[in-house]
Amino acid sequence: MVTTSATAPLTPVLADDVAAYLKRRSRWSPLEVVFWIFAFASIWLFPDKYLILKDTAILALFALSLDLILGYAGIISLGQAAFFGIAGYFSGLVAKYGLINEPVIALVCSGVVAAALGFVTSFLVLRGSDLTRLMVTLGVSLMLGEVANRYASITGGADGLQGVDIAPVLGRWSFDLYGHNGYVYCLIVLFVCFVIARRIVYSPFGLSLRSLKGNALRAAAIGIPVKWRLVAIYTVSAGFAGIAGALLTQTTAFCSLDVFSLERSADLLLVLIIGGTGYLYGGLIGAVIYKFLQDWIATLTPQYWQFWIGLVLVVIVLVGRERVEGWIAAARGSVARLGDRLWTRIRPRSAALGGAADGD
Amino acid sequence: MPILETIGLEKRFGGILAAANVNLSVKKGARHALIGPNGAGKTTVINLLTGVLRPTAGRIMLEGRDITDAAPHERVRLGMARTFQINQLFLDLTPLESIGLVVSERLGTGADWWRVVGSKPAVTDEIVEVVERFRLTDVMHERTAILPYGKQRLLEIALAFACRPRVLLLDEPAAGVPEAERHELLATIEALPAEVTVLLIEHDMDLVFSFADRISVLVNGALFVDGAPEDVARDPRVKAVYLGEELDA
Ligand SMILES: Nc1ncnc2c1ncn2[C@@H]1O[C@H](COP(=O)(O)OP(=O)(O)O)[C@@H](O)[C@H]1O
Ligand SMILES: [Mg+2]
């Protein structure tokens, strides 16, 4: 029998180290702080760009919702528009009929409605391959779009929801013509949602999502209820998508059937392809690049901007990705080599053996 | 009463009968080895026990409770954890994060979405204990993907151990580990707490006979011999199997 350190008393320094290290993972990096300072500075820096900035903030929040399921739980979806749309209509209807007048309360309620739809439909995407998930999520949003079209007496059908009157936010700030308040409102909501999302991904729950994305078999084998974790994040993601949809309705005082469109969900994948997934900022950065690229190309060639967006997409996916992945692999390689070298310094013997067995 | 018991356990893959009427009985606190040639169905039995596979017939009892229909994660909560013959690790996480994940999960904070990982002293204390027991201290901050194979193998066991199982199933824990890293691994297996019941699948007969107090031999999906190590070692049929001779079982 060999005795181990297990019977020895715990090393208090190590326990503190572990706690400190785990907490440090979630600390805001300077780069993040700069990002948000710049985001809020945009309110004063670009007063003539409020409209596109506002759309960007909404798209960013929408993309963040997809990143939560795609980047953290590995669920691909072409149906985020279902949640965006249902909350868009819900917030429009409650404002139109004066059911919930205060926009912030209406926003939260819209998010809850979308989350409820997310919860119910989550069971459809639990099982199945990526392709199944794409089709099921797409199908759900198409069906909802058709339902909204069918009940035109409520939704306004193809003409869109008219006569929506949005009360001032918190009874004080009304949505002005220049879009200043609208943008500030969207930006604050985006920030609050981002902080919540960030909190989630650094929590034990968030860690369990990353683990089941990496290896669902093992996640279940260490006691994680994989199914319920997926249901939970899908629900949260739907709620975020809903809040984005409600923001659009509230800031435009209008809602039309295109909130359910396939294009809207597809744009989202584009945004995440541009910005990357699994680090929360992908949706935000992707949305900024996508919106400004769209804006810039549209001023160059108003008619054919989609051609250029398409081209950019193809280039990113075919050329960029491999190159980017190449860079990442190279960076990882050098970090690993550095690690090995340090390892060799510290433990010459085990390093030699470790290298040999690495290929297994 | 055995802590773990199977009754007429059977698994068919199409035409292959990978487990045929297996009646396995593991005593509390046992060091039980399950041996048999490649393809005998050992991993299949572990997969059935842990719920990765559903049996086509038979029952599984854990501490007298029928767990045949329990989901894999529920069996972990009921006190049974396993390792995999081929590493199943979270390659993008560090050993610290992986073990932290298991410990959080076990202490019931796994669904906690507001607190940061590691903010609970109970969790960190336990992480430290597991990290030290499995000699992962010096690599705990590395990405799992770049660890030496021996360390990965230790982590494989550490993740199962961190579930604090009363029954621990080890599927060829030493497989593929180079000779020089082997000692460390075997030492940690030997030092597993006595109160944890261990069911070990292993090909290395030296390890099996030094470790086990009971041995079951599986051949072609069926339990073939079951007994104390001395008896199994003497059994001519077992010798025949391990010498690769023809069987008329
Ligand atoms: N998922 C599966 N599908 C089909 N056949 C399988 C599957 N898993 C195992 N088998 C078959 O079952 C038999 C037993 O395999 P296994 O349990 O892995 O054996 P052991 O672990 O004893 O080497 C083999 O013939 C194998 O090919
Ligand atoms: Mg096997």
Side-chain angles (χ1 to χ4, degrees):
Chain A
M1 271 295 204
V2 182
T3 52
T4 63
S5 51
T7 47
L10 297 186
T11 329
V13 185
L14 187 56
D16 289 347
D17 278 356
V18 164
Y21 172 82
L22 287 172
K23 285 183 197 151
R24 199 160 54 231
R25 290 166 67 241
S26 63
R27 200 167 291 163
W28 290 78
S29 79
L31 220 57
E32 290 184 273
V33 176
V34 169
F35 178 93
W36 284 105
I37 288 176
F38 187 74
F40 279 99
S42 68
I43 298 169
W44 293 277
L45 291 178
F46 310 107
D48 53 336
K49 288 259 182 228
Y50 287 146
L51 208 60
I52 184 172
L53 284 173
K54 186 208 75 180
D55 284 349
T56 307
I58 294 174
L59 182 63
L61 176 56
F62 195 26
L64 177 66
S65 81
L66 181 61
D67 193 17
L68 277 180
I69 54 171
L70 180 59
Y72 288 89
I75 304 173
I76 189 145
S77 165
L78 252 182
Q80 287 297 94
F83 313 121
F84 188 91
I86 197 161
Y89 272 103
F90 180 84
S91 61
L93 288 167
V94 295
K96 181 174 175 177
Y97 295 107
L99 301 173
I100 305 172
N101 282 313
E102 204 292 307
V104 177
I105 299 173
L107 187 74
V108 173
C109 294
S110 309
V112 170
V113 167
L117 179 67
F119 176 77
V120 173
T121 54
S122 67
F123 296 92
L124 301 173
V125 302
L126 283 180
R127 262 164 250 244
S129 62
D130 284 351
L131 186 63
T132 324
R133 285 171 168 171
L134 282 175
M135 293 304 115
V136 169
T137 51
L138 172 63
V140 169
S141 65
L142 291 180
M143 273 154 51
L144 279 177
E146 215 43 68
V147 169
N149 192 21
R150 167 71 184 72
Y151 292 97
S153 55
I154 301 169
T155 62
D159 297 333
L161 190 64
Q162 312 276 350
V164 176
D165 192 18
I166 305 291
V169 176
L170 301 174
R172 266 197 75 183
W173 293 280
S174 53
F175 293 112
D176 55 301
L177 275 179
Y178 310 101
H180 172 271
N181 287 358
Y183 176 51
V184 174
Y185 177 56
C186 290
L187 194 58
I188 291 173
V189 171
L190 171 65
F191 181 67
V192 170
C193 290
F194 181 86
V195 170
I196 295 172
R198 200 178 177 286
R199 204 72 207 197
I200 291 175
V201 303
Y202 287 112
S203 69
F205 171 69
L207 190 57
S208 76
L209 290 179
R210 279 175 64 198
S211 79
L212 64 88
K213 181 191 176 206
N215 192 336
L217 175 68
R218 189 62 194 253
I222 56 170
I224 296 176
V226 172
K227 183 175 120 180
W228 289 107
R229 295 291 154 84
L230 291 177
V231 167
I233 194 63
Y234 197 75
T235 303
V236 171
S237 154
F240 278 24
I243 289 174
L247 281 179
L248 181 65
T249 301
Q250 291 186 333
T251 54
T252 55
F254 180 70
C255 185
S256 69
L257 288 176
D258 77 18
V259 288
F260 287 114
S261 70
L262 164 62
E263 243 181 287
R264 201 173 280 284
S265 300
D267 278 356
L268 228 45
L269 284 177
L270 270 182
V271 166
L272 287 186
I273 285 168
I274 295 171
T277 60
Y279 70 106
L280 286 186
Y281 284 90
L284 278 54
I285 293 167
V288 172
I289 296 175
Y290 180 79
K291 272 289 171 195
F292 283 83
L293 206 60
Q294 190 182 33
D295 188 50
W296 178 62
I297 295 172
T299 53
L300 294 183
T301 59
Q303 281 180 324
Y304 305 113
W305 71 268
Q306 284 203 323
F307 172 86
W308 296 103
I309 291 280
L311 184 68
V312 168
L313 172 67
V314 171
V315 168
I316 287 177
V317 172
L318 289 184
V319 185
R321 256 297 145 86
E322 270 167 32
R323 196 163 296 169
V324 170
E325 273 164 15
W327 292 336
I328 292 171
R332 276 192 187 147
S334 52
V335 169
R337 268 196 301 284
L338 191 69
D340 279 352
R341 213 169 298 154
L342 289 176
W343 187 253
T344 322
R345 294 264 159 80
I346 305 163
R347 287 262 167 116
R349 279 182 58 227
S350 28
L353 303 156
D358 232 17
D360 208 311
Chain B
M1 185 184 70
I3 191 165
L4 177 68
E5 192 178 13
T6 69
I7 304 153
L9 202 61
E10 181 195 282
K11 180 68 190 177
R12 274 179 198 284
F13 295 109
I16 303 172
L17 196 56
N21 190 27
V22 174
N23 296 302
L24 184 68
S25 172
V26 180
K27 282 208 187 66
K28 190 169 188 310
R31 293 286 179 270
H32 198 130
L34 181 62
I35 64 173
N38 262 324
K42 305 180 296 294
T43 298
T44 300
V45 167
I46 299 281
N47 284 338
L48 291 168
L49 290 174
T50 53
V52 173
L53 295 172
R54 287 293 160 119
T56 36
R59 315 301 303 166
I60 302 162
M61 314 292 285
L62 180 66
E63 297 179 322
R65 178 203 287 254
D66 189 333
I67 58 161
T68 317
D69 298 319
H73 73 270
E74 289 167 344
R75 300 182 197 210
V76 178
R77 292 180 179 184
L78 290 172
M80 182 163 61
R82 66 162 311 171
T83 67
F84 290 81
Q85 182 173 353
I86 297 163
N87 280 342
Q88 300 290 337
L89 299 169
F90 308 115
L91 295 178
D92 289 332
L93 305 185
T94 63
L96 192 59
E97 289 169 329
S98 306
I99 294 168
L101 172 74
V102 184
V103 174
S104 304
E105 211 59 53
R106 195 182 66 76
L107 295 179
T109 62
D112 196 338
W113 61 275
W114 190 249
R115 225 185 311 263
V116 166
V117 182
S119 52
K120 284 201 160 181
V123 174
T124 44
D125 283 352
E126 202 168 321
I127 294 174
V128 170
E129 198 208 316
V130 175
V131 163
E132 289 188 335
R133 173 183 280 277
F134 290 94
R135 302 159 191 223
L136 293 163
T137 318
D138 41 4
V139 295
M140 66 183 181
H141 295 314
E142 310 271 358
R143 261 180 88 241
T144 296
I146 64 165
L147 298 185
Y149 185 72
K151 291 288 179 190
Q152 290 189 346
R153 219 57 196 141
L154 280 165
L155 180 58
E156 178 72 32
I157 305 173
L159 293 187
F161 180 83
C163 299
R164 294 285 148 154
R166 290 184 293 284
V167 180
L168 179 62
L169 314 175
L170 303 174
D171 195 351
E172 301 197 24
V177 177
E179 200 52 45
E181 291 173 80
R182 219 175 151 79
H183 169 75
E184 192 176 37
L185 187 84
L186 300 187
T188 59
I189 294 175
E190 297 221 322
L192 287 169
E195 67 272 16
V196 176
T197 307
V198 181
L199 179 65
L200 170 81
I201 294 181
E202 186 50 62
H203 278 306
D204 181 332
M205 285 306 127
D206 290 341
L207 172 57
V208 167
F209 282 96
S210 73
F211 178 79
D213 50 28
R214 180 137 195 122
I215 296 176
S216 298
V217 186
L218 201 67
V219 178
N220 292 329
L223 268 192
F224 181 63
V225 176
D226 190 13
E230 316 76 81
D231 301 335
V232 171
R234 271 199 302 267
D235 194 302
R237 294 173 299 170
V238 174
K239 282 187 184 148
V241 169
Y242 275 89
L243 293 173
E245 290 179 12
E246 200 63 34
L247 275 172
D248 48 355

